[in-house]
Amino acid sequence: MTYPAAAPRFTGQPVTRVDGRLKVTGAATYAGDNGFADLAHGVLVCSTVGGGRVAGIDSAAAQRHPGVIRVITDFGGVTLPYDPRQIAAFGQPVAVVVADTLEAAVHAAGLVDVRYDATEPTTDIDSPRAVAEPGSSARVADYERGDADTALRAAAVVTDMEYSLARNNHNPMELPATVARWDGDRLTVWDKTQGITSSQRAYAKAFGMTPDRVDVISPFVGGAFGSAGKTWPNALLAAFAARQVGRPVKLTLSRKQFYSVVGYRPVSKHRLAIGADRSGRIGAIVHEARVENSRYDGFEDNVTEVPRFLYSSPNMRSVYRSVHLDVNPPTYMRGPGTTSGAFTMESAMDDLAFRLGMDPIELRRRNEPSRDESEDLPFSTRRLTECFARGADVFGWSRRNPAPRSTREGDLLIGMGTAAATYHALASPCTVSVRMNPDGTADVATGASDMGPGTYTSMTQVAADALGLPMQRVRFSLGDSRMPQAPIHGGSQTMASVGSGVMNAAAMLRDRFIRTAVVDPGSPLSGLRPDQVTVADGRVYATGDPRRGEYYRDMLRRKGWGPLDAEETWTPNDAEYERFSMHGYGAVFAEVAVDERLGTTRVRRVFAVYDAGRIINPMLAHSQAIGGMVGGIGMALLEATELDHRDGRIVNANMADYLVPVNADITALDAEFLAGEDLVTDPLGVKGLAELVFVGVPAAVANAVFNATGRRVTDLPITLDKLL
Ligand code: MOS
C-alpha cells in the first residue's frame, strides 16, 4: 500500500526524449560502437547451399592472409541451436574468420573454401514435400466453438477466400552487432538485444555456465522490431570466437547475413470464411492457417488469436499448421502473428460488408461481442466501437462512395478503407532499484531495453511523479544485466511491466521518507499521519500547508543516511489473466490512389484512433503510432523476402531489392488516443502500443485498394502486377 502522491505532473505530458540529445549528437553508444585496443574483428562465412552437410573446409588461403588471427571452422565448445556440420538453411554460419582489422576479416572470409555434400532443400510452403503439422503451443491448438462448418453452409451471405502473406524481414537501421570479451571464465558482451536477462541466459546456456558469469550490456538499440528478441548464432559465435583467440571480438552481421542468420515474419497462408445472415449477424467463422517454420527451434506465430475473438460468432473453428521447411527459424516481428491474422480477418470483414451491401463499420458494430467468446471472459476495457465512431468522424468516412471504382481523378482511382486493430495487453514481473542521493537527485535502474519507443523518457516521467521530483532530478538507466531484472522488451509489455515496476519501487522509497518524517521529532512533519503528507518538487510537506515540510536532501542529511535505497519487484496479478480478456483496440482508416494504367498504389493518408489505455507520453505515443503506420504501409505494399526455392537462397537480401517505405511513400499520417485508462491490466492503466499501432494498417490499405479499384487483393504485398 502506498500513500497518495501529488497529482501527476509529468505522466500524460508530451515531454521530449531525455536521450534525444545523446542520439542526435552521436553520443549514444550502440553495441558496435564499443571497442578495445586489442579488439579483433570477426566475420561469418555462411553456407552457399540450402541443405546437406559440410564435407570439408579449406581455410589455408584465408589463414595466410595478412592480419588474420584464426579461421574457426570447428564450433565445438559452443552449443548452437543446430548441428553446425549439417546445413539447416541457406546462409547458415559455417566458419568465423577473426582478424586484426575488419577489412582483413572480410577479405579472408571470401578466401575460405567450403565444400558441401549438398541436398535439395524444401523451402516452399506450397511444395508437395512440405510437411504440415499441428503447432505445439496451446495458443495455436485446434479450436472450435459450436459447429462452424455446418453454420457456414447454412449462412445466407458468405465470404470464403484464400490469403497469402509474404515473408518479411525487420530491417532496422542498426545491424546485429556483438562485442564479446572474456576475463578468465567471465564473459562480458556489449550486445544488440531487446532482452538483457534472456540474452544473459542464452550465453550462459551456450557455454554451459551459470548466468552470473555473464554480463550483458545494451543501453541503446538502433531499432529491432522483434529481431533482437532472441540471441542468434552470430552473437554466440562472437563470444565463441573471443574465447578461441583470447581477445575481445566484435562481430557485426552484414545486411545480407541479417536475412539468413536472424529470424523474420514467416510466410503464412490462410483460408478465412465468414457466414452471416442478411442483417449482417455473423453465424460462422472458419480459419485455417499454414505458417512457415524451420525444422528446429520452432516458432509459432500468433495468427489464430484475432479471428477467434474479435467479433461475436456462435460458431468458430480455427486450425494452425506449422510447415517445417529448410529455412532459418522465423521469429517475432511487428505485431507478431496478430498482424497476419488481423489482415485476413479484417479483409474478410470488408468483403462480407461489400457482399451484404452494408457499411463496413456498421457490420462491425452489429457483431460487437459483449465478452471474449474464445476465452469466455469479460473484457477489461474494450472501446472498438468508439474508435470507429471517432475515426470515421475525423477521417471523413461519410465522404466515401461505397461503390468500388466510383471515385476518380484522371488516371487515379481513389478509395477509402478501414480495419480494426487489436493486440493483447501483456505485463510481466519487473524489479527496479531506486536511490535517493544526498543532493536530492534520484537514480532509477532496471535491466530493461529501449529499442526506440522512448523507454528512457517514459520511465523518467513515471519515476519523477512517483518520487515527487522534477524530471531533471531523476536519472533512469537500463540495459545492463547487473541491474535488477526486467522482462524482454517485446510484446508491447514494457510500459505496463517496467512502468509498473518503476512506479512501485519509487513509491516505496517515497513512502519510507513519509513514514520516517511523521515519527521523527526533528521533522516539521512530526505528528502528522502519513496520508496527510504530499511530496512534490523533492519536498515532503503537509498536504494543504506547503510551508510545513522539508526537502528529501535535508532529511537524508539530518538522519545521516547518505543515500537511501529501495529495490522492489512488481508482479502482475496472474488472476486477472484468468478473469479478463485484456487487449488494446483501434480503428485504422486509409485513403489510397491507384494509377489505373500503372497499377501503382500510393497511400494518401492514414488516420487511426486507439483505445490503448492511459497514454504516458502523447508525443512519444503519436510518434509510435505513425511509425506503425509506416511499417504497415510497407507490409501492405512493398515488403517481401523472396527465396529461390531451387536452393533456398534469399534473392533480395539487401535494401535495394527488399523495399521499405521511404519519405516519398509517406504522406499524411495522424493518430489519436481515446482518453481513459485500464486499471485491470496494470497499475499504470496502460495497454501497450507498439504492436497495436501496426496491426490494423495492412488491411486498412488493402480495403482502400478494393474501394478504389474493385480488386480484392488477398496476397501481400499489393504490388502493381496484382492490379493490372
Ligand atoms: Mo516485438 S515484435 O514483440 O519486438
Side-chain angles (χ1 to χ4, degrees):
M1 135 100 207
T2 58
Y3 306 115
R9 278 190 53 194
F10 303 107
T11 51
Q13 296 304 311
V15 302
T16 55
R17 291 178 189 253
V18 297
D19 54 344
R21 177 176 290 270
L22 275 182
K23 285 190 169 174
V24 299
T25 58
T29 311
Y30 295 84
D33 294 335
N34 292 285
F36 304 95
D38 60 343
L39 184 73
H41 297 265
V43 168
L44 295 182
V45 177
C46 294
S47 74
T48 53
V49 301
R53 54 180 287 279
V54 177
I57 301 178
D58 180 355
S59 56
Q63 192 68 62
R64 278 195 305 272
H65 186 71
V68 169
I69 301 164
R70 179 131 7 134
V71 180
I72 303 169
T73 58
D74 179 349
F75 295 164
V78 57
T79 305
L80 297 174
Y82 49 79
D83 174 352
R85 289 277 150 180
Q86 300 292 329
I87 302 302
F90 196 103
Q92 168 184 320
V94 291
V96 187
V97 177
V98 187
D100 287 325
T101 63
L102 177 62
E103 290 74 11
V106 169
H107 186 77
L111 302 175
V112 177
D113 186 14
V114 186
R115 284 176 300 108
Y116 302 92
D117 291 332
T119 56
E120 195 188 329
T122 302
T123 59
D124 183 352
I125 193 171
D126 291 323
S127 162
R129 283 177 297 166
V131 180
E133 290 172 343
S136 55
S137 64
R139 196 170 64 180
V140 298
D142 291 3
Y143 170 85
E144 181 151 27
R145 62 175 181 263
D147 180 349
D149 296 282
T150 304
L152 186 66
R153 277 191 297 273
V157 183
V158 169
T159 171
D160 190 346
M161 297 191 293
E162 306 279 335
Y163 298 82
S164 175
L165 282 73
R167 187 195 278 202
N168 288 172
N169 276 80
H170 307 78
N171 278 309
M173 281 169 68
E174 185 195 20
L175 293 167
T178 308
V179 173
R181 188 184 77 198
W182 292 83
D183 300 287
D185 65 354
R186 288 195 62 81
L187 171 64
T188 305
V189 276
W190 291 263
D191 208 1
K192 173 177 180 172
T193 181
Q194 293 169 239
I196 301 295
T197 303
S198 57
S199 167
Q200 183 188 35
R201 289 201 191 114
Y203 286 102
K205 188 170 161 221
F207 294 101
M209 53 198 216
T210 50
D212 59 301
R213 277 164 49 196
V214 182
D215 289 330
V216 174
I217 300 167
S218 182
F220 293 100
V221 172
F225 308 120
S227 64
K230 282 188 184 172
T231 301
W232 300 96
N234 57 296
L236 302 176
L237 289 170
F240 180 64
R243 180 174 246 184
Q244 294 298 104
V245 302
R247 282 168 61 172
V249 165
K250 172 153 84 177
L251 195 159
T252 304
L253 288 182
S254 67
R255 185 61 66 174
K256 180 178 174 183
Q257 292 169 337
F258 198 169
Y259 285 74
S260 68
V261 180
V262 174
Y264 50 86
R265 183 197 304 285
V267 168
S268 64
K269 303 261 174 167
H270 309 250
R271 173 198 173 205
L272 193 89
I274 309 177
D277 66 18
R278 301 246 169 242
S279 76
R281 285 288 301 187
I282 295 174
I285 303 172
V286 171
H287 181 211
E288 296 164 346
R290 288 181 298 133
V291 182
E292 174 181 31
N293 206 340
S294 59
R295 296 194 193 279
Y296 65 94
D297 224 24
F299 171 82
E300 284 154 4
D301 218 11
N302 186 26
V303 305
T304 52
E305 182 188 6
V306 169
R308 287 181 188 180
F309 92 100
L310 190 55
Y311 302 109
S312 179
S313 176
N315 305 289
M316 199 286 157
R317 179 174 71 81
S318 88
V319 293
Y320 181 101
R321 292 293 176 263
S322 249
V323 183
H324 294 280
L325 300 166
D326 299 308
V327 295
N328 61 309
T331 193
Y332 320 98
M333 179 172 165
R334 308 179 199 145
T338 310
T339 305
S340 306
F343 173 71
T344 61
M345 187 67 200
E346 292 300 288
S347 294
M349 287 297 279
D350 199 68
D351 187 50
L352 181 63
F354 177 70
R355 288 166 194 274
L356 284 159
M358 183 178 290
D359 181 82
I361 298 175
E362 175 61 17
L363 174 65
R364 288 171 174 88
R365 198 188 62 75
R366 290 191 185 187
N367 292 284
E368 173 70 13
S370 57
R371 57 199 277 120
D372 181 328
E373 295 172 0
S374 71
E375 312 239 8
D376 193 25
L377 292 173
F379 297 110
S380 58
T381 52
R382 170 169 165 134
R383 294 193 287 159
L384 180 58
T385 303
E386 289 97 313
C387 290
F388 272 114
R390 172 70 187 158
D393 236 26
V394 176
F395 188 75
W397 184 251
S398 60
R399 295 199 304 273
R400 170 185 182 261
N401 187 331
R405 294 182 76 83
S406 58
T407 308
R408 178 183 280 282
E409 292 176 12
D411 287 338
L412 299 179
L413 297 168
I414 312 300
M416 293 187 198
T418 189
T422 185
Y423 196 76
H424 45 245
L426 279 180
S428 303
C430 182
T431 307
V432 176
S433 66
V434 187
R435 162 171 292 193
M436 188 68 73
N437 297 300
D439 64 357
T441 61
D443 287 293
V444 182
T446 182
S449 167
D450 182 353
M451 65 170 144
T455 309
Y456 279 102
T457 309
S458 55
M459 298 308 156
T460 305
Q461 293 173 263
V462 171
D465 274 348
L467 289 166
L469 282 179
M471 274 185 69
Q472 314 84 268
R473 311 220 96 203
V474 177
R475 273 182 304 273
F476 175 77
S477 312
L478 54 68
D480 192 317
S481 59
R482 292 162 294 191
M483 295 170 181
Q485 280 189 18
I488 188 166
H489 186 41
S492 305
Q493 64 171 329
T494 298
M495 198 65 241
S497 315
V498 182
S500 296
V502 166
M503 184 170 77
N504 182 54
M508 290 291 183
L509 186 67
R510 174 195 73 211
D511 288 357
R512 194 158 156 211
F513 278 98
I514 293 174
R515 283 195 306 273
T516 302
V518 295
V519 298
D520 180 357
S523 167
L525 299 170
S526 170
L528 290 175
R529 291 195 318 270
D531 62 2
Q532 294 172 313
V533 174
T534 301
V535 185
D537 283 325
R539 200 160 162 278
V540 188
Y541 60 88
T543 306
D545 183 11
R547 287 162 310 165
R548 183 177 171 190
E550 62 180 332
Y551 284 96
Y552 282 133
R553 59 171 185 267
D554 296 329
M555 274 188 76
L556 286 171
R557 192 181 312 121
R558 193 179 69 253
K559 303 297 287 183
W561 277 342
L564 190 63
D565 293 292
E567 184 170 311
E568 293 289 336
T569 300
W570 175 81
T571 304
N573 185 352
D574 280 347
E576 306 298 18
Y577 286 93
E578 286 154 29
R579 290 170 48 214
F580 292 95
S581 166
M582 301 188 273
H583 291 81
Y585 295 93
V588 185
F589 295 79
E591 181 179 315
V592 301
V594 181
D595 188 302
E596 194 178 17
R597 292 187 302 174
L598 300 176
T600 48
T601 300
R602 304 262 312 160
V603 175
R604 288 188 155 182
R605 57 194 181 106
V606 180
F607 178 72
V609 178
Y610 292 105
D611 159 24
R614 188 164 162 228
I615 299 302
I616 300 299
N617 184 322
M619 184 190 290
L620 293 176
H622 187 264
S623 166
Q624 184 120 1
I626 62 176
M629 289 170 183
V630 174
I633 291 169
M635 184 176 176
L637 300 180
L638 300 166
E639 296 188 54
T641 305
E642 307 285 1
L643 271 64
D644 183 333
H645 295 305
R646 290 172 303 179
D647 62 2
R649 85 177 60 208
I650 299 164
V651 297
N652 61 340
N654 62 73
M655 298 221 61
D657 298 316
Y658 183 101
L659 303 181
V660 296
V662 297
N663 261 322
D665 297 308
I666 301 302
T667 48
L669 308 181
D670 198 6
E672 276 184 16
F673 299 91
L674 296 181
E677 59 189 1
D678 185 334
L679 289 176
V680 173
T681 53
D682 54 83
L684 276 174
V686 305
K687 295 203 282 189
L689 268 185
E691 330 276 350
L692 179 63
V693 295
F694 189 84
V695 166
V697 180
V701 172
N703 294 343
V705 168
F706 175 76
N707 180 242
T709 65
R711 295 280 186 94
R712 173 70 59 190
V713 182
T714 60
D715 56 339
L716 295 183
I718 304 170
T719 44
L720 55 86
D721 49 301
K722 295 166 190 170
L723 293 171
L724 288 176

